[in-house]
Amino acid sequence: MQDFSLYFQLGWQHILDWQGYDHILFVIALCGAYTFTDWKKVLILVTAFTLGHSLTLALSIFKVISVNTPLIEFLIPVTILITAISNILSKRQKPKGQRFKYTIALFFGLIHGLGFSNYLRSLLGKSSSITAELFAFNVGLEFGQLIIVAGVLILSFILIWIVKIKRWDYNFFVSSAIFGISFVMAAERLPALLP
């Protein structure tokens, strides 16, 4: 139980670490186009993302797949960039479009899970029993993501329903800011891929 608590704490602290803000940006981009009333859609999106990153995190930790770190570090801001563009381009949420967003969140979760794997592998060291630690770390990551989601949805509620900013203006501002930041991140990480 003590190990669970430790790895749970490491999971939520890792996702909320401002020095590794790329994951925070992705979660904000993922739910930035939604309001408080869309909480069910956001919950499904975040769960799809969690399933994706949990799968590749486990596969990487158990050495089923190997990680090309520079490629993953480049792809993470690309996923953020694509999510921000998707928010800007979709003025209305259509049912088919929503299912596509769930699929994309799952796929992008696969990429982000590979990014988490190096961090978790360094924590585990030569531990022989890693299943419980992996589970606790994933639960901690999900908890951290839900804190981010709650913050974004509360902010959207305040700005859209109380301050009376138009929903589209809020989405455009948040998504454009995230697009700009992730574009710079991707550009900075691109040279590491070049020979």
Side-chain angles (χ1 to χ4, degrees):
M1 193 62 185
Q2 185 178 358
D3 280 350
F4 181 91
S5 176
L6 172 67
Y7 282 93
F8 173 81
Q9 182 177 354
L10 289 169
W12 70 259
Q13 286 177 345
H14 181 65
I15 195 87
L16 295 175
D17 182 5
W18 285 103
Q19 292 178 336
Y21 61 91
D22 47 357
H23 300 300
I24 295 172
L25 280 180
F26 182 76
V27 175
I28 293 171
L30 201 60
C31 60
Y34 299 95
T35 64
F36 209 75
T37 58
D38 300 318
W39 67 269
K40 287 181 186 174
K41 291 178 185 175
V42 174
L43 189 60
I44 295 170
L45 271 174
V46 172
T47 301
F49 175 66
T50 298
L51 290 173
H53 77 64
S54 297
L55 177 63
T56 51
L57 183 56
L59 291 175
S60 177
I61 293 298
F62 289 115
K63 298 180 180 159
V64 175
I65 56 175
S66 61
V67 178
N68 177 338
T69 302
L71 177 61
I72 295 304
E73 290 301 316
F74 171 72
L75 289 176
I76 286 172
V78 170
T79 64
I80 301 166
L81 197 129
I82 292 169
T83 304
I85 290 172
S86 171
N87 289 348
I88 293 167
L89 295 178
S90 62
K91 280 200 168 192
R92 286 198 154 267
Q93 301 294 333
K94 297 180 176 128
K96 282 186 181 178
Q98 195 61 37
R99 282 193 292 275
F100 179 72
K101 282 192 169 201
Y102 296 150
T103 305
I104 290 297
L106 176 71
F107 177 71
F108 287 172
L110 296 172
I111 295 168
H112 284 251
L114 293 172
F116 292 134
S117 67
N118 286 337
Y119 174 75
L120 183 56
R121 199 176 303 122
S122 71
L123 290 174
L124 290 171
K126 300 204 181 283
S127 176
S128 58
S129 170
I130 60 175
T131 306
E133 289 90 344
L134 179 62
F135 176 73
F137 187 77
N138 271 316
V139 173
L141 285 175
E142 180 69 4
F143 177 73
Q145 287 174 175
L146 291 176
I147 290 172
I148 297 166
V149 168
V152 172
L153 292 180
I154 289 168
L155 180 64
S156 75
F157 176 79
I158 292 168
L159 293 176
I160 294 169
W161 298 103
I162 298 174
V163 179
K164 302 293 184 192
I165 292 174
K166 290 181 183 171
R167 181 176 176 158
W168 167 246
D169 292 343
Y170 168 79
N171 172 33
F172 185 78
F173 175 77
V174 170
S175 299
S176 296
I178 291 172
F179 174 86
I181 295 167
S182 59
F183 183 84
V184 170
M185 286 171 57
E188 288 173 348
R189 294 175 184 185
L190 183 60
L193 291 176
L194 305 175

